[in-house]
Amino acid sequence: MREVAHHFHLPLSRVSRLYKELEKEGVVRRIRGSRTILQGKSPVRHLIVRSVVGIPASLSCFLTLQDYRMFLLKVRREFRRRGLITAIAFYEDRFDAEDLVERLQQARADIALWYLPDGTARSLAPQLLDVGIPLLGISDGGLPGVPCCYEVNRSQAIRAIFRDWMASGISNVRIVRTESRSSADEERLEALLLDTPFRWRFVNAQSKVAEQFVVNLTAQKDEAIVFLGSAASLCLMRAPEAMSRILSQGRVGLVEGPVSMPLTPRIDGPVDLVVVNWQRLAQRIADDILGRETFDCHQPVIFDAKGELKVPFHKFAQKL
């Protein structure tokens, strides 16, 4: 400021006031004892948007399934890094999803990406096509509502867990499910169990008595317990201490991925997990969208999950 005052033959006090005005206008930024930086009159962040990807998302799945959240987070981060903007449209049920097409249009979506497409996706797919928004489906077990271009395959990972159980002397398997489970997912698990010598049975964890159910649940030395996704979340939320006890008793399998922990003391113990590399899936989808590949949903791209044996529960679980 002294140099400016001397150059223009102005009082130092006046130059100081002018600098403050320029700083208020955002033209300059002063760093005390260092320098003055010229900001420019319209400093703006330039963002190149190569495409907008609309993602319909089930609110109940987002709240209860950790893998569902991981898919959305990994896709959103990878897409943003690559100049793809995501517009996530949450819905609660098929009635709440009636305006999904309109919401995706308002977001100016160029393409729709639907993980676990259900009956809602089947009913809305023609409407999306009518407004020029192609739909890419990602299946992960069950019966998808639309043809899918990508498929998460958990079968090999589950077989690896079953082989380790057989080698450990396990002969009985109990499968914990909830009333809202998909029969198609149960049939897939049963088909895998048919290739083993296990004796198995399904048991229901009802929401109203879930806490007592988990407290009474014990595993014998020759028995393993499989928790299906929604059942695992329900039991952890209702009876975390009892679940921690079950983990320490014997073999427990979470075939639909890790489960989030409630805000309680850390739940620990070994668990057998089926883990999906969501980052690799997000990268492949981004590559295909940016490369403007022709999506052939009759030949889906397969992503094989990995079986993790006797890993610490807390290592893979997120805290809610």
Side-chain angles (χ1 to χ4, degrees):
M1 284 193 294
R2 288 189 178 90
E3 290 176 1
V4 171
H6 177 75
H7 180 80
F8 290 102
H9 306 288
L10 295 172
L12 182 61
S13 58
R14 184 175 179 184
V15 173
S16 177
R17 287 196 303 271
L18 291 172
Y19 265 66
K20 288 180 181 179
E21 289 296 324
L22 291 172
E23 196 169 13
K24 287 180 181 179
E25 294 175 12
V27 177
V28 300
R29 179 164 62 93
R30 291 186 294 172
I31 301 176
R32 184 177 296 276
S34 178
R35 61 191 184 276
T36 300
I37 299 174
L38 183 65
Q39 294 281 86
K41 291 187 176 180
S42 301
V44 294
R45 178 179 293 178
H46 296 283
L47 180 65
I48 298 175
V49 179
R50 305 177 71 175
S51 188
V52 177
V53 182
I55 305 180
S58 164
L59 185 59
S60 61
C61 289
F62 181 81
L63 294 175
T64 59
L65 302 179
Q66 180 172 311
D67 264 1
Y68 198 93
R69 292 195 299 276
M70 287 303 298
F71 163 78
L72 290 176
L73 289 173
K74 292 294 184 181
V75 164
R76 185 171 180 268
R77 289 173 185 171
E78 180 63 21
F79 282 20
R80 187 171 185 176
R81 188 179 69 86
R82 308 277 286 274
L84 299 170
I85 301 301
T86 55
I88 300 177
F90 286 102
Y91 66 94
E92 294 187 26
D93 50 40
R94 64 186 183 90
F95 300 106
D96 183 51
E98 290 179 352
D99 65 338
L100 265 180
V101 175
E102 183 180 349
R103 281 191 274 164
L104 293 180
Q105 277 188 291
Q106 290 175 350
R108 298 183 180 181
D110 301 299
I111 198 168
L113 185 65
W114 205 313
Y115 175 55
L116 296 179
D118 49 16
T120 303
R122 182 169 56 250
S123 63
L124 294 184
Q127 299 179 43
L128 288 169
L129 191 60
D130 287 343
V131 297
I133 303 177
L135 174 61
L136 301 182
I138 305 169
S139 67
D140 190 352
L143 296 175
V146 297
C148 291
C149 300
Y150 306 94
E151 178 183 336
V152 176
N153 178 27
R154 298 175 184 262
S155 297
Q156 295 300 326
I158 296 173
R159 288 193 181 99
I161 292 173
F162 286 169
R163 285 195 297 269
D164 191 73
W165 287 358
M166 286 185 281
S168 302
I170 299 296
S171 58
N172 297 286
V173 176
R174 205 173 342 173
I175 306 162
V176 182
R177 64 185 177 185
T178 60
E179 298 172 348
S180 61
R181 280 303 306 160
S182 166
S183 59
D185 286 338
E186 293 172 8
E187 290 172 3
R188 178 187 64 173
L189 189 59
E190 283 187 290
L192 296 173
L193 286 166
L194 285 172
D195 293 332
T196 71
F198 296 141
R199 296 185 295 272
W200 74 88
R201 61 190 177 98
F202 287 92
V203 292
N204 294 325
Q206 298 180 358
S207 179
K208 294 182 180 179
V209 292
E211 183 175 358
Q212 191 60 43
F213 170 83
V214 181
V215 170
N216 295 335
L217 190 63
T218 57
Q220 305 300 322
K221 290 184 179 180
D222 63 343
E223 183 182 45
I225 299 177
V226 172
F227 286 89
L228 298 180
S230 55
S233 299
L234 174 65
C235 294
L236 265 175
M237 292 298 295
R238 297 298 179 85
E241 293 181 359
M243 281 292 290
S244 185
R245 170 182 55 79
I246 293 170
L247 291 175
S248 63
Q249 283 181 341
R251 303 300 290 271
V252 174
L254 301 179
V255 297
E256 295 185 0
V259 185
S260 299
M261 293 187 295
L263 291 176
T264 58
R266 191 174 75 175
I267 298 171
D268 212 346
V271 66
D272 299 318
L273 283 173
V274 174
V275 180
V276 178
N277 189 336
W278 297 113
Q279 181 63 35
R280 186 165 64 90
L281 175 62
Q283 289 173 345
R284 174 56 191 268
I285 298 174
D287 286 341
D288 289 346
I289 292 175
L290 292 174
R292 301 188 181 278
E293 297 289 337
T294 300
F295 296 100
D296 181 7
C297 295
H298 297 290
Q299 297 292 331
V301 179
I302 307 296
F303 292 88
D304 290 320
K306 180 183 178 183
E308 297 281 355
L309 302 172
K310 296 182 180 179
V311 294
F313 178 86
H314 71 272
K315 181 180 178 181
F316 291 87
Q318 298 173 335
K319 272 204 170 185
L320 290 177

